[in-house]
Amino acid sequence: MKLEPRRVARYYYLRFIRLKGHPSVLARGVAVGTFIGITPTIPFHTILALIVAFVLRGSKVAALLSSIIVSNPITLVPQYYLAWQIGNWMTPGKHSWDDLSILIKAIIRGGQFGETLSALGQIGLDSLFVLLAGGIVLALPFTFVFYCLSYMLFSSIQKKRLEKKVLK
């Protein structure tokens, strides 16, 4: 089976377009998924996206879809690298890229949950704190932008659906 990027992109686009619900609920779900997807919490993305979407009353499906779109093998290394750079800049301790490359290699290899957790344990709490701090700072502007864009998108979709109903 061959992976076709256009087909995958179209699939996720159609999944987003077909989501039903109030635009603010859907946009909150997208914002939660974006935030969780950008933060370096890879073995816990799904459960964190569901919990935070539930607490913030956002769409759980939108949160999961946006988390998958934002955090994929193509974007993973740049996200972790930027989170590490920002975290090193913000925190007093300096940590090497070699510390974090252990974790990234475990994730890219498609390691099991236990393998990823052991890689998290190997990098140490200080490096994990640096990575999380940088990831949160990196995720905040993207979360805001994705919320606004998805709210506009879902509002226009809802408006078109209502116009179709009125015309029938």
Side-chain angles (χ1 to χ4, degrees):
M1 186 170 176
K2 190 169 116 180
L3 178 68
E4 299 175 23
R6 274 191 181 160
R7 188 173 180 188
V8 171
R10 178 145 174 83
Y11 171 76
Y12 283 114
Y13 170 74
L14 290 175
R15 290 289 309 248
F16 262 96
I17 297 299
R18 293 177 181 152
L19 287 175
K20 304 245 190 248
H22 194 273
S24 66
V25 172
L26 294 171
R28 267 194 307 263
V30 169
V32 164
T34 301
F35 182 81
I36 298 297
I38 292 176
T39 57
T41 55
I42 199 79
F44 308 109
H45 275 174
T46 303
I47 191 73
L48 283 174
L50 289 173
I51 290 170
V52 175
F54 177 76
V55 169
L56 296 179
R57 295 182 182 174
S59 170
K60 288 120 192 107
V61 175
L64 290 175
L65 283 174
S66 61
S67 176
I68 290 168
I69 290 170
V70 168
S71 180
N72 58 60
I74 296 169
T75 62
L76 186 75
V77 174
Q79 285 174 357
Y80 274 55
Y81 182 76
L82 287 172
W84 169 71
Q85 287 283 19
I86 293 169
N88 255 346
W89 175 72
M90 288 177 45
T91 58
K94 299 297 177 201
H95 298 276
S96 70
W97 178 248
D98 294 333
D99 296 339
L100 301 177
S101 65
I102 296 168
L103 176 63
I104 291 174
K105 286 176 186 173
I107 294 169
I108 289 176
R109 276 195 312 258
Q112 301 296 333
F113 184 73
E115 185 181 344
T116 307
L117 282 180
S118 70
L120 278 171
Q122 285 179 357
I123 68 170
L125 288 178
D126 291 339
S127 295
L128 188 59
F129 176 73
V130 167
L131 195 58
L132 280 173
I136 289 170
V137 170
L138 178 65
L140 287 174
F142 286 101
T143 301
F144 178 73
V145 168
F146 275 56
Y147 175 83
C148 294
L149 291 174
S150 60
Y151 185 83
M152 290 187 302
L153 173 74
F154 291 127
S155 293
S156 70
I157 290 169
Q158 188 179 45
K159 183 178 175 183
K160 287 179 186 177
R161 283 182 187 152
L162 286 174
E163 287 173 357
K164 266 187 178 178
K165 270 188 181 178
V166 170
L167 291 176
K168 285 186 177 184

